[in-house]
Amino acid sequence: MTTNPKYIFVTGGVSSSLGKGIIAASLAKLLQSQGYRITIQKLDPYINIDPGTLNPYEHGECYVTDDGAETDLDLGHYERFLNVATSQANNVTTGRIYQSVIDKERRGEFLGKTVQVIPHITDEIKRRIQILGNSGDYDIVITEIGGTVGDIESLPYIEAVRQLEWDLGEHNTCVIHLTLVPFLSAAGELKTKPTQHSVKTLMESGVQADILVCRTEHKLNDGLKTKLARFCNVKKEAVIESIDASTIYDVPNLMLEEGLDKVVLKQLQLKSDVPDLKRWNQFLKRHKNPKSEVSIGLIGKYVELQDSYKSILEAFIHAGAENEVKVIVEPIHSEYLSESNIEFKLGHLDGVLVAPGFGERGIEGKIDAVRFVREHNIPFLGICLGMQMAVIEYARNVLNIKDANSIELDDQTPNPVINLMESQKNVVNKGGTMRLGTWDCQLEKDSIAYDVYQSEMITERHRHRFEFNNAYKTQFENAGLKATGFNPKTKLVEIVEIPENNWFVGVQYHPEYKSTVRNPHPLFVAFVAAALKYRKKKN
Ligand code: GLN
């Protein structure tokens, strides 16, 4: 298609959390549906090297890519919308930028020069932005700049955008500015001034927005669009309304109605076509017209914050649409679960998912929950820590090894049924050192897993340090908990099942990261189907 890649920059003003990631993903969907090869990159202006060491309360879920990068959760949206895998190059933080520059300085590569924000940090930002474009794999790269214009920490990024616009020349770049048009109920009016100020702040750094995407709770009338266009110096057609939507999956269609793809392509002097959203819209139709519903408990310790389990919640939306069922996810805080309230909290559910996690808090609640669902034969999916809890519960209550535990929770336990991986024993640093990214998994033929995947060899993404202890494998298998998936090289156990139960599956990996609108994850699809079957039998 095009020879030189084009670059779209998405900046944000007025407020944080306006949904730049969803706008970027929706625009990308519209461009991809017109035949363009597209990828999205997120630049995060914080000093952490990656979000891997961040508590989910700080920044939501940490998303993991095939190549094992621990990244911002927006990359999950990009993959779910585009069905194209992302990589380390798709998420860069200020910490990583500085680390490369400082490493280069230590190697003496600046040849005695003073190393400064401009040009050395900005050059490194520009290089990182162009890595994806220069790969030859994409016609268009969308770069989402985290934070809000005017923040001190965003300045080098905005300067890099200014320089790239200059370097690459007219019609090769496009700047989208996402802002908020608040409604003042006392005045009964939508207000444009915050947007005007935000565009002006961007201008102070030498960047003129080409397109405004205005988040709003009410429709922007013609007069208001004209006013915004005039005072913000953009074409009227480039004032795009982004009204609150009931689901993020509506946003591509809303942007299409507003003509966002058209103005972008015009600015980039690229051909515009009617996007082929047939499959997308089939998904939306199923998502919005469920024939029945199921209630699934999501047991975790960060449940107060929706973003903590973003990929799991989205995987349920995909799997629900596939099954034409509405999945009602009930967040249940594991810290407040105990034997005395478990029947009340879990008894009515059609399925239970025990979430991934780290550390001791809320652990016993998770173990009690597994016991309850195992004994009541409620469909169960345990992910990562959730799978490990299922193993501990089985050891304690079926194998009668009362002190069975994970080394993570008690490093002195005489019965470490969950052990520290051999490869982890000498690891000291916390950041980026877990077993990460894609690993092979071989499935036993006679298993739920094999039925679900219909394949003997699968690959899934990982993020953990601890593992099923193979020293106990025979004991578990003799009692009825089977290992049905394992790494073909290391023999690390990847999946456990209880064949005697209806649907009881624990996986050491994270299936949720690979679920997309186009390819709902088969494990989630099967889990929701099992919950539906269980509900029908119950009623
Ligand atoms: N804390 C566990 C481990 O490191 C599980 C990690 C997870 O749930 N992602 O092995």
Side-chain angles (χ1 to χ4, degrees):
M1 208 158 274
T2 52
T3 37
N4 285 327
K6 308 266 185 173
Y7 293 89
I8 299 169
F9 302 105
V10 183
T11 60
V14 183
S15 162
S16 58
S17 309
L18 288 181
K20 284 194 293 272
I22 301 296
I23 293 295
S26 300
L27 171 62
K29 185 78 226 165
L30 295 178
L31 300 177
Q32 184 193 50
S33 312
Q34 296 174 46
Y36 291 105
R37 298 171 307 153
I38 191 136
T39 189
I40 319 178
Q41 175 189 46
K42 172 91 188 269
L43 302 183
D44 276 309
Y46 52 71
I47 317 264
N48 303 63
I49 300 292
D50 61 41
T53 52
L54 289 176
N55 184 317
Y57 289 132
E58 289 286 315
H59 210 67
E61 160 191 282
C62 170
Y63 185 77
V64 179
T65 56
D66 278 335
D67 64 348
E70 297 178 280
T71 71
D72 185 82
L73 58 78
D74 272 345
L75 270 73
H77 291 308
Y78 308 160
E79 289 204 12
R80 289 187 281 273
F81 275 53
L82 298 182
N83 200 41
V84 172
T86 54
S87 69
Q88 180 64 73
N90 294 73
N91 190 199
V92 181
T93 67
T94 293
R96 200 172 281 275
I97 301 273
Y98 271 80
Q99 192 180 49
S100 327
V101 171
I102 291 168
D103 286 350
K104 212 165 150 190
E105 185 273 336
R106 290 290 84 181
R107 289 195 301 272
E109 287 179 29
F110 291 109
L111 305 174
K113 289 270 182 224
T114 308
V115 181
Q116 293 178 293
V117 173
I118 296 172
H120 302 103
I121 296 297
T122 44
D123 278 353
E124 180 61 17
I125 296 174
K126 284 161 65 182
R127 189 182 74 79
R128 296 280 183 156
I129 291 175
Q130 289 176 286
I131 286 179
L132 289 164
N134 291 340
S135 71
D137 295 336
Y138 307 104
D139 305 310
I140 305 171
V141 178
I142 300 181
T143 298
E144 176 194 343
I145 299 179
T148 309
V149 295
D151 292 350
I152 291 174
E153 53 193 21
S154 298
L155 280 174
Y157 292 94
I158 302 297
E159 168 61 12
V161 169
R162 187 196 67 75
Q163 290 186 25
L164 274 174
E165 285 200 282
W166 191 88
D167 296 346
L168 298 169
E170 235 188 322
H171 302 301
N172 289 317
T173 60
C174 172
V175 175
I176 297 176
H177 191 55
L178 187 69
T179 78
L180 177 70
V181 178
F183 181 75
L184 279 194
S185 45
E189 266 180 28
L190 285 164
K191 292 295 187 189
T192 63
K193 195 71 92 183
T195 300
Q196 295 179 43
H197 278 286
S198 179
V199 170
K200 200 168 141 193
T201 306
L202 196 56
M203 284 273 261
E204 280 165 13
S205 303
V207 175
Q208 162 70 52
D210 298 303
I211 297 168
L212 300 181
V213 174
C214 308
R215 286 299 310 274
T216 173
E217 288 173 18
H218 300 273
K219 288 203 81 59
L220 306 183
N221 63 31
D222 205 58
L224 207 105
K225 280 193 173 181
T226 307
K227 185 175 174 190
L228 277 166
R230 178 176 296 133
F231 292 125
C232 298
N233 208 20
V234 300
K235 295 193 182 74
K236 195 175 151 206
E237 63 188 24
V239 179
I240 305 290
E241 166 195 297
S242 170
I243 200 152
D244 291 353
S246 60
T247 156
I248 55 169
Y249 297 106
D250 271 339
V251 180
N253 281 312
L254 292 173
M255 290 303 106
L256 179 65
E257 278 166 31
E258 284 289 301
L260 176 61
D261 56 320
K262 277 214 180 76
V263 259
V264 165
L265 291 171
K266 195 164 156 196
Q267 157 81 16
L268 297 175
Q269 289 191 334
L270 292 174
K271 203 169 90 349
S272 156
D273 211 336
V274 180
D276 177 5
L277 291 173
K278 211 164 99 210
R279 289 191 60 169
W280 185 268
N281 288 332
Q282 279 167 356
F283 153 78
L284 267 181
K285 200 168 158 201
R286 280 198 304 272
H287 170 51
K288 290 184 174 177
N289 298 287
K291 298 203 167 94
S292 45
E293 58 181 46
V294 291
S295 293
I296 292 185
L298 169 62
I299 301 184
K301 64 171 178 176
Y302 311 108
V303 290
E304 308 88 325
L305 186 75
Q306 281 250 333
D307 275 357
S308 309
Y309 301 109
K310 196 79 209 155
S311 293
I312 291 177
L313 297 176
E314 299 303 321
F316 274 129
I317 290 177
H318 309 151
E322 190 71 10
N323 282 289
E324 297 188 290
V325 33
K326 178 173 183 181
V327 181
I328 302 164
V329 178
E330 278 188 34
I332 298 167
H333 207 302
S334 55
E335 220 179 337
Y336 311 127
L337 267 182
S338 62
E339 268 180 47
S340 59
N341 63 15
I342 205 119
E343 169 87 51
F344 171 72
K345 295 216 172 182
L346 308 186
H348 61 288
L349 296 168
D350 308 313
V352 167
L353 187 150
V354 177
F358 294 85
E360 249 170 278
R361 189 165 66 95
I363 282 298
E364 294 303 322
K366 287 187 174 178
I367 295 175
D368 288 343
V370 180
R371 179 176 196 163
F372 184 84
V373 298
R374 179 180 58 75
E375 289 180 348
H376 290 78
N377 210 349
I378 297 172
F380 166 80
L381 178 59
I383 297 183
C384 210
L385 186 71
M387 172 266 201
Q388 298 175 355
M389 293 306 107
V391 170
I392 295 172
E393 189 279 321
Y394 207 82
R396 289 188 189 172
N397 300 321
V398 180
L399 303 184
N400 226 358
I401 311 176
K402 292 292 173 208
D403 53 7
N405 215 333
S406 163
I407 292 277
E408 179 181 9
L409 311 169
D410 174 8
D411 58 8
Q412 299 303 318
T413 177
N415 281 297
V417 289
I418 301 296
N419 214 356
L420 186 62
M421 273 184 277
E422 208 41 54
S423 55
Q424 287 287 330
K425 291 200 171 140
N426 297 319
V427 171
V428 185
N429 279 353
K430 289 273 184 273
T433 56
M434 278 186 259
R435 181 185 185 219
L436 290 164
T438 286
W439 294 82
D440 287 338
C441 168
Q442 192 172 339
L443 304 180
E444 296 289 358
K445 275 219 154 140
D446 187 17
S447 64
I448 292 180
Y450 185 81
D451 283 351
V452 164
Y453 287 95
Q454 293 289 311
S455 167
E456 239 173 290
M457 196 67 87
I458 59 162
T459 58
E460 289 283 4
R461 298 183 194 170
H462 290 252
R463 184 174 185 244
H464 63 113
R465 281 184 214 285
F466 299 87
E467 54 151 340
F468 179 96
N469 186 345
N470 272 322
Y472 294 84
K473 188 164 170 243
T474 318
Q475 226 177 320
F476 275 110
E477 298 218 307
N478 289 343
L481 181 107
K482 308 272 187 226
T484 58
F486 56 92
N487 181 289
K489 283 206 190 95
T490 59
K491 304 293 173 216
L492 287 181
V493 170
E494 300 276 6
I495 310 175
V496 295
E497 296 179 24
I498 303 178
E500 208 182 87
N501 277 35
N502 284 330
W503 208 96
F504 188 103
V505 179
V507 291
Q508 185 59 77
Y509 53 80
H510 291 264
E512 70 274 22
Y513 293 142
K514 280 181 59 167
S515 188
T516 67
V517 165
R518 181 94 181 228
N519 290 323
H521 197 286
L523 205 55
F524 276 86
V525 174
F527 178 44
V528 169
L532 188 61
K533 200 166 148 196
Y534 174 80
R535 185 185 179 100
K536 282 188 178 148
K537 222 165 84 187
K538 209 167 53 171
N539 293 331

